[in-house]
């Protein structure tokens, strides 16, 4: 990127744009208004930046969240003030709950216009979401304020809103962008009684198991954990957000949690010591604590504040996952601790839990079997793909049907359990990784709710994106609630449009799947794609397994 802007005689909005470039912002997502349009214009025209306009403020923030997860960098978005910010609240909470670093450059109303229609207490609103807040105080501090917002987003691993008043945009200011150096947390290597106690537990364990989360997803951490596992002969497993970390390892048991393979569950229940690196051990990973019963739990996290937040620990260690794992291995080896034998010999096979049409009632006309569709589509989708899923009863099966090879290829949109966040986050993920396919699996309700209009963005950006719509013409969770109580589920049914036709009208290739031959057509369309595709898979609402 070039920065052909003046260093003296410049204006605040120009310095903010230059500061984005200084912080390696390669793509800015946003929706322009009176409080940010000049900054965006300068970022694109004078700084050479890429700007992706969204159709709603929520979508802009969600795109940046998807971009941040896939690129493992700070996502950056911009919106204007007042109702623009209230529109983005759910997206901000999603980022907070997902610990996703993001800087949102948000406008604000001028303080001297007392009856401004768009005036709200933005600081208080942002505080309620859990996001950070940084005020652009005055022209003289503009560069420093931007730098503080980026530093806090990285260190605190959450969205931080830079509040930028309209009346400051055209104020003159001198100086260059400021970039704060971020401390290298990987330098943290523990040396404490806690480490000694943890090593004692590992040494005495008969059936240790190593679990890695997104906080231990670097290549350095992966290799260190594989070495430790080999030393103590422990199986390897991940949390959902760590999916794919140990792909290719013989003793990789896959994901631990509600989507665990039965073989994985057996090993988890047999284990007597769980060594968790970079995993928060939330209720979905531990199956509400049931997976931890009868075993010692050791948790290693980079930040002390993240230890024991969800479960009671036997030992908690603050340390870089990679360096802590290597230190443990070296100390166990020096003490001549024999391996456990828990993961020795040939690893057990884990056949797919999905089965085409198995043990389900006959389907009516105009719909296909859910498992059959996922299995066939997985064969058509390239193995090197990024998986993004919305939330719904289709999600767990999708996580099992479409494996990924690394955690950064899995973009999770369900931290707030809000449906409809999938498409915007998939757009951000696809832009972050233009070299391979992005696969979005969503429901008809979620797609209708959360950004159907963004299909136009997909077309405009010419993304390599395949959208699978699991269309059961219902809100699945509510359908389950009714049917589990033998009640009429009619209130949960919705009259979804023909999404393939909508997609075609908005510039995508659309395929409707009602029959087995249609499914084959969809697979051929994926293999022969030259642009984005939406596949509308018609399903029977009474026959969608919620695993």
């Amino acid at each position: 990127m070039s920065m052909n802007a003046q260093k003296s005689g410049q204006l605040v909005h120009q310095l903010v744009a230059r500061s984005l470039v200084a912080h390696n912002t390669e793509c800015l997502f946003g929706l322009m208004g009176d409080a940010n349009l000049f900054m965006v214009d300068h970022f694109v025209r004078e700084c050479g930046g890429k700007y992706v306009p969204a159709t709603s403020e929520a979508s802009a923030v969600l795109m940046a969240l998807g971009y941040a997860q896939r690129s493992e960098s700070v996502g950056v978005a911009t919106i204007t003030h007042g109702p623009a910010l209230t529109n983005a609240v759910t997206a901000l909470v999603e980022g907070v709950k997902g610990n996703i670093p993001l800087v949102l450059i948000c406008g604000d109303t001028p303080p001297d216009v007392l009856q401004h229609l768009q005036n709200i207490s933005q600081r208080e609103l942002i505080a309620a979401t859990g996001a950070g807040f940084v005020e652009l105080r005055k022209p003289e501090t503009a560069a420093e304020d931007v730098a503080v917002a980026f530093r806090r987003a990285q260190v605190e691993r959450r969205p931080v809103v830079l509040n930028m008043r309209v009346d400051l945009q055209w104020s003159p200011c001198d100086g260059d962008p400021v970039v704060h150096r971020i401390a290298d947390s990987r330098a943290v290597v523990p040396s404490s009684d806690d480490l000694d106690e943890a090593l004692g537990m590992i040494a005495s364990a008969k059936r240790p198991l190593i679990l890695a989360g997104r906080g231990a997803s670097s290549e350095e951490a992966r290799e260190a954990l594989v070495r430790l596992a080999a030393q103590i002969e422990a199986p390897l497993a991940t949390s959902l957000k760590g999916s794919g970390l140990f792909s290719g390892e013989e003793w990789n048991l896959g994901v631990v949690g509600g989507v665990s393979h039965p073989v994985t569950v057996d090993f988890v229940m047999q284990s007597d010591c769980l060594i968790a690196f970079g995993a928060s051990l939330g209720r979905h990973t531990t199956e509400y604590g049931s997976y931890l019963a009868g075993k010692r739990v050791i948790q290693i996290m980079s930040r002390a504040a993240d230890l024991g937040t969800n479960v009671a620990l036997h030992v908690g260690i603050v340390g870089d996952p990679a360096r802590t794992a290597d230190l443990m291995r070296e100390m166990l080896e020096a003490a001549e601790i024999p391996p456990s034998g828990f993961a020795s010999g040939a690893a057990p096979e884990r056949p797919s839990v999905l089965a085409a049409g198995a043990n389900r009632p006959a389907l009516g006309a105009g719909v296909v079997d859910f498992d059959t569709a996922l299995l066939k589509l997985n064969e058509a989708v390239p193995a090197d793909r990024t998986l993004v899923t919305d939330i719904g009863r289709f999600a767990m099966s999708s996580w099992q049907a479409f494996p990924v090879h690394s955690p950064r290829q899995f973009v999770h949109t369900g931290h707030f359990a809000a449906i409809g966040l999938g498409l915007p986050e998939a757009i951000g993920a696809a832009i972050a990784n233009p070299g391979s396919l992005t696969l979005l699996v969503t429901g008809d309700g979620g797609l209708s709710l959360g950004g159907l209009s963004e299909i136009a963005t997909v077309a405009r950006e010419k993304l390599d994106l395949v959208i699978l719509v699991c269309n059961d013409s219902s809100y699945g969770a509510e359908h389950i609630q009714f049917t589990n109580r033998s009640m009429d589920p009619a209130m949960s049914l919705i009259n979804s449009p023909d999404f393939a036709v909508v997609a075609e009208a908005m510039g995508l290739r659309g395929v409707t799947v009602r029959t087995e031959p249609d499914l084959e057509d969809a697979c051929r369309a994926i293999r022969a794609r030259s642009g984005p595709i939406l596949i509308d898979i018609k399903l029977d609402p009474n026959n969608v397994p919620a695993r």
Side-chain angles (χ1 to χ4, degrees):
M1 272 182 207
S2 63
M3 290 189 294
N4 302 318
Q6 291 178 302
K7 295 182 180 180
S8 61
Q10 69 186 333
L11 305 174
V12 166
H13 70 265
Q14 295 172 333
L15 180 55
V16 171
R18 293 179 61 224
S19 296
L20 297 186
V21 177
H23 284 88
N24 300 316
T25 302
E26 295 185 352
C27 185
L28 175 64
F29 302 91
L31 187 59
M32 290 194 299
D34 62 328
N36 67 345
L37 76 167
F38 301 112
M39 183 275 292
V40 172
D41 179 78
H42 194 80
F43 177 75
V44 174
R45 291 182 183 274
E46 301 299 329
C47 299
K50 178 179 176 61
Y51 172 66
V52 176
T55 62
S56 76
E57 292 84 4
S59 289
V61 176
L62 291 168
M63 289 176 192
L65 292 178
Y67 184 94
Q69 289 190 72
R70 184 60 184 85
S71 65
E72 295 186 339
S73 62
V74 177
V76 186
T78 182
I79 60 176
T80 187
H81 49 107
L85 181 59
T86 59
N87 286 344
V89 164
T90 295
L92 283 173
V93 176
E94 170 69 14
V96 169
K97 288 181 174 286
N99 299 120
I100 303 171
L102 175 139
V103 172
L104 174 60
I105 301 169
C106 178
D108 201 357
T109 52
D112 59 336
V113 183
L114 300 181
Q115 296 184 14
H116 196 294
L117 290 177
Q118 294 180 315
N119 183 43
I120 57 171
S121 298
Q122 296 197 166
R123 182 188 292 268
E124 288 78 7
L125 181 65
I126 293 164
T129 70
F133 182 90
V134 174
E135 186 78 60
L136 198 156
R137 294 165 290 171
K138 55 186 178 180
E140 294 79 6
T141 65
E144 174 68 18
D145 296 333
V146 175
V148 168
F150 273 89
R151 180 185 63 79
R152 288 186 56 190
Q154 291 176 273
V155 173
E156 298 170 16
R157 298 201 62 79
R158 63 169 174 162
V160 173
V161 177
L162 176 67
N163 206 59
M164 188 173 67
R165 289 183 358 229
V166 173
D167 56 304
L168 296 179
Q169 300 300 295
W170 288 85
S171 299
C173 62
D174 294 330
D176 290 317
V178 174
V179 178
H180 288 167
R181 181 174 177 175
I182 306 299
D184 184 1
S185 63
R186 295 177 304 144
V188 178
V189 179
S191 177
S192 63
D193 292 341
D194 289 330
L195 176 63
D196 295 338
E197 188 175 353
L199 289 170
M201 292 179 180
I202 295 170
S204 63
K206 303 297 183 185
R207 298 175 299 280
L209 187 147
I210 292 176
L211 174 70
R214 194 64 177 255
S217 62
S218 69
E219 186 62 26
E220 182 186 16
R222 180 193 188 279
E223 297 304 320
L225 296 183
V226 168
R227 288 191 291 267
L228 176 60
Q231 173 73 23
I232 64 177
E233 292 186 349
L236 293 158
T238 72
S239 66
L240 177 63
K241 290 181 67 176
S243 293
L245 181 63
F246 299 119
S247 178
E249 294 297 323
E250 182 180 7
W251 274 93
N252 171 30
L253 297 180
V255 174
V256 170
V259 295
S260 291
H261 192 282
V263 170
T264 303
V265 175
D266 287 343
F267 273 87
V268 171
M269 299 308 290
Q270 290 176 43
S271 69
D272 59 3
C273 181
L274 180 69
I275 313 163
F277 290 85
S280 65
L281 300 178
R283 61 179 184 171
H284 295 299
T285 299
T286 65
E287 276 294 88
Y288 298 85
S290 63
Y291 285 176
L292 305 183
K295 54 178 63 67
R296 290 172 171 173
V297 180
I298 302 167
Q299 187 182 36
I300 300 94
M301 302 293 276
S302 296
R303 304 187 305 181
D306 295 331
L307 288 169
T309 55
N310 295 311
V311 299
L313 305 174
H314 291 86
V315 177
I317 297 174
V318 180
D320 172 70
R323 299 183 181 184
T324 302
D326 274 338
L327 179 61
M328 286 178 163
R329 178 182 54 81
E330 292 165 3
M331 295 179 74
L332 290 168
E333 185 177 28
E336 299 183 347
I337 303 299
S340 68
F342 190 38
S344 60
E349 294 184 1
R350 291 183 294 123
S352 176
V353 297
L354 277 67
N359 301 318
R360 286 193 290 280
L363 297 172
V367 296
V368 294
D369 177 70
F370 183 53
D371 282 9
T372 300
L374 295 187
L375 289 168
K376 291 200 173 198
L377 290 165
N378 179 55
E379 294 175 357
V381 175
D384 180 21
R385 70 285 189 104
T386 297
L387 176 66
V388 185
T389 61
D390 211 318
I391 292 299
R393 59 174 166 173
F394 58 86
M396 289 188 179
S397 295
S398 301
W399 298 332
Q400 294 167 326
F402 301 107
V404 295
H405 297 315
S406 73
R408 68 188 303 173
Q409 291 180 308
F410 177 72
V411 175
H412 189 48
T413 72
H415 301 99
F416 194 25
I419 71 170
L421 310 188
L423 180 55
E425 292 208 39
I427 292 171
I431 290 172
N433 186 50
S436 67
L437 176 93
T438 297
L439 175 67
L440 168 66
V441 186
T442 185
D444 51 318
L447 183 60
S448 297
L449 171 68
L452 188 60
S453 60
E454 297 299 348
I455 290 176
T457 304
V458 175
R460 184 189 68 239
E461 298 296 323
K462 298 180 174 61
L463 302 178
D464 190 5
L465 176 64
V466 172
I467 303 169
L468 303 183
V469 185
C470 299
N471 189 350
D472 58 3
S473 298
S474 75
Y475 290 112
E478 289 68 29
H479 191 279
I480 291 170
Q481 292 279 348
F482 282 125
T483 55
N484 282 351
R485 290 168 173 77
S486 300
M487 296 172 65
D488 183 356
M491 291 293 292
S492 69
L493 300 180
I494 53 178
N495 185 21
S496 297
D498 189 329
F499 290 106
V501 174
V502 174
E504 291 272 3
M506 300 179 77
L508 270 63
R509 167 80 186 277
V511 180
T512 300
V513 174
R514 298 182 182 275
T515 65
E516 291 276 348
D518 291 341
L519 187 55
E520 296 296 340
D521 288 343
C523 291
R524 282 190 289 270
I526 291 173
R527 294 188 179 103
R529 71 192 185 283
S530 59
I533 304 172
L534 183 145
I535 299 172
D536 188 357
I537 309 169
K538 304 297 186 181
L539 303 170
D540 180 351
N542 296 306
N543 289 289
V544 178
R547 294 178 171 86

